[in-house]
Amino acid sequence: MKLLTIILIALVVVIAAGALWVRLMPLPAEQAQPQTVGDMPEPGDYPAPRAFTAVREVAEPEAALRRLSDVALATRRTRLLSGSVEEGRLRFVTRSLVFGFPDITTVWTAPGRVALHGGAVMGARDMGVNAKRLRGWLDAAGLPPEA
């Protein structure tokens, strides 16, 4: 009985330490993603195992970026890491509910386009959460998929 109690306490301590580490670990300075206007793909959706990229044609990129910024900042557990609408580039972190696993999303503009790239910082797969979140942001900002 005493051994079982010790094992359970040790297990709780290990889980708590892991959850604390995930929440306090430094986030990468940059996430692997297109970085320049020249790297922006054609309009469309580009799913990957641990990331999702979406590009939309827009008449007013800065206005679209502002709407996306407002939507992102209204999303639970999401905060702005860097950038501004004026710079034409924003970087957000969204954390999962229970353990706080971070996903980094970058939103940027190019002439006539706005792009979003969301990717998991940890793990081999993101279970589709980035695609779901970014499609939701696009829909809420009035930027649905192309017909």
Side-chain angles (χ1 to χ4, degrees), residues 15-144:
I15 290 171
L20 189 61
W21 178 77
V22 166
R23 289 199 179 265
L24 298 177
M25 67 178 252
L27 295 172
E30 284 296 325
Q31 188 82 359
Q33 61 199 349
Q35 299 295 320
T36 66
V37 171
D39 292 337
M40 186 178 285
E42 292 298 313
D45 292 346
Y46 302 90
R50 56 186 299 227
F52 181 78
T53 301
V55 179
R56 299 291 184 267
E57 286 188 24
V58 294
E60 298 177 21
E62 186 173 325
L65 186 63
R66 188 170 307 284
R67 289 193 312 270
L68 285 164
S69 175
D70 292 343
V71 169
L73 292 172
T75 302
R76 289 182 177 176
R77 299 178 308 279
T78 298
R79 67 181 176 90
L80 181 66
L81 289 176
S82 63
S84 69
V85 172
E86 293 73 27
E87 291 174 33
R89 184 178 180 91
L90 301 161
R91 191 163 174 258
F92 300 94
V93 62
T94 304
R95 292 189 174 270
S96 66
L97 179 61
V98 177
F99 285 103
F101 292 116
D103 289 340
I104 303 289
T105 301
T106 303
V107 185
W108 73 103
T109 62
R113 293 187 185 168
V114 64
L116 300 86
H117 175 86
V121 173
M122 304 175 75
R125 298 206 172 285
D126 74 350
M127 310 293 269
V129 297
N130 283 293
K132 182 179 178 183
R133 183 178 58 257
L134 297 189
R135 285 181 174 136
W137 287 6
L138 288 163
D139 189 50
L143 302 168

